[in-house]
Amino acid sequence: MTGVHRRRGRLSKEGRRLFGGLALLAVFTPVTAYTLNAAIAHVQSCGTEVELHVAAAPEMAAALEDFVAAGGGAPSRGSDVCADITVEAVSGNAVAETDADIWVPETALWRNLPDAGLAEQWEVLQESTASAAVGLALPAGESTDQVLPDEADVALQDPRQHAPSLMWIIMFGVDEHTVEGGDGTAVMSAPEVLAAGNPDLQAPMGASQVAQFEYPMLSRADLGEDEREAAQNLLRSYKSASYGEVLAAHALGSAISQSTPTSTEVIAGALQSWDDREDA
């Protein structure tokens, strides 16, 4: 029998090409469809787009900028509000000088300062979103084992402008150990020590730590519904592992469950003691 015999079951060259093309089409078609559907879903998820202006303590502002740049604040499941989030560093209680929608100060003490009127303007969305140590900034390398904060001679700053000093007089009162300026041990926060860049100081730790910043998230009382939802999306995104990583990269700790006493009466009493000593 003459002629060319093909091995049974073997495709021709043309058949192999056709089969390969169909196989590639079968692989890429679902992927393309998935990508297209994902893109459509993303567009559809942004039913509303808003701008959200966040004012935060400088160290927290730096962390939030990194977190937002990495995708923090994106709409959570069930939300269709997308936000263009801008972050501004604001020190102390200077938020009145901004047009911020959200305020993340070092501590809620700033919100309840007597006569400032900020408590009526700002509502608490979450009492704590991060933390940082506050206390005595001892010389570098000095042990904290024998430190007795209530007996230490400390150098404070104006408590109406400096949160660590305000925390100190609320906790320990005002007496011969508390002096504005002077030669005593400086009362500072850990981010403040870090920002100072002074290698001769160590951040509060162990017995030298007496309090913590809690970095509450506050919203403007007249904030719109969509902006408020955008703020909630930002809060929800804090549950991600990346948020904790960003905080750690900026030497900040996680949120705390118990905040510093913040009532206006407590703050007013501490400040009155401070003023009385200055007048004596």
Side-chain angles (χ1 to χ4, degrees):
M1 185 174 178
T2 62
V4 177
H5 296 273
R6 288 194 178 97
R7 188 177 301 171
R8 182 175 294 177
R10 184 182 179 90
L11 292 175
S12 66
K13 185 175 182 181
E14 291 77 10
R16 291 197 301 273
R17 286 176 177 173
L18 177 61
F19 182 82
L22 291 172
L24 287 174
L25 183 62
V27 170
F28 283 107
T29 298
V31 174
T32 304
Y34 174 81
T35 304
L36 180 60
N37 288 336
I40 293 172
H42 175 73
V43 171
Q44 290 177 338
S45 69
C46 294
T48 303
E49 297 188 17
V50 299
E51 295 184 357
L52 194 69
H53 180 188
V54 180
E59 63 273 16
M60 192 65 188
L64 285 177
E65 285 179 340
D66 287 350
F67 182 61
V68 169
S76 57
R77 181 174 297 180
S79 175
D80 67 347
V81 175
C82 296
D84 179 12
I85 302 174
T86 58
V87 183
E88 175 185 5
V90 175
S91 299
N93 58 349
V95 69
E97 302 170 9
T98 76
D99 60 351
D101 304 303
I102 300 298
W103 181 27
V104 188
E106 304 100 318
T107 172
L109 292 174
W110 289 136
R111 174 180 177 268
N112 291 339
L113 275 181
D115 304 321
L118 294 175
E120 293 77 24
Q121 299 173 24
W122 294 93
E123 299 175 351
V124 178
L125 286 183
Q126 185 157 305
E127 292 185 348
S128 177
T129 62
S131 61
V134 174
L136 298 170
L138 297 175
E142 183 173 316
S143 173
T144 65
D145 293 345
Q146 304 302 317
V147 172
L148 299 174
D150 57 339
E151 297 180 7
D153 291 328
V154 296
L156 302 180
Q157 300 180 41
D158 180 355
R160 289 182 172 83
Q161 302 296 327
H162 187 239
S165 295
L166 180 57
M167 286 184 167
W168 187 275
I169 65 174
I170 287 174
M171 296 182 68
F172 298 106
V174 179
D175 55 26
E176 68 275 10
H177 295 294
T178 54
V179 179
E180 185 171 5
D183 298 325
T185 304
V187 173
M188 304 174 72
S189 69
E192 188 179 9
V193 173
L194 181 64
N198 186 348
D200 296 329
L201 292 179
Q202 62 176 321
M205 65 182 74
S208 70
Q209 178 182 341
V210 301
Q212 294 187 82
F213 283 159
E214 71 273 17
Y215 300 99
M217 180 181 281
L218 311 174
S219 67
R220 193 176 291 280
D222 59 356
L223 193 63
E225 182 179 347
D226 292 333
E227 287 77 11
R228 191 175 298 275
E229 175 63 17
Q232 289 292 347
N233 282 332
L234 180 59
L235 266 180
R236 294 178 189 118
S237 67
Y238 289 172
K239 296 178 181 178
S240 67
S242 61
Y243 180 64
E245 293 168 359
V246 168
L247 291 181
H250 288 269
L252 296 170
S254 57
I256 58 177
S257 58
Q258 185 171 356
S259 304
T260 305
T262 59
S263 74
T264 299
E265 293 74 19
V266 169
I267 301 171
L271 291 175
Q272 187 61 56
S273 297
W274 177 261
D275 295 340
D276 290 345
R277 184 181 184 281
E278 291 291 300
D279 295 336

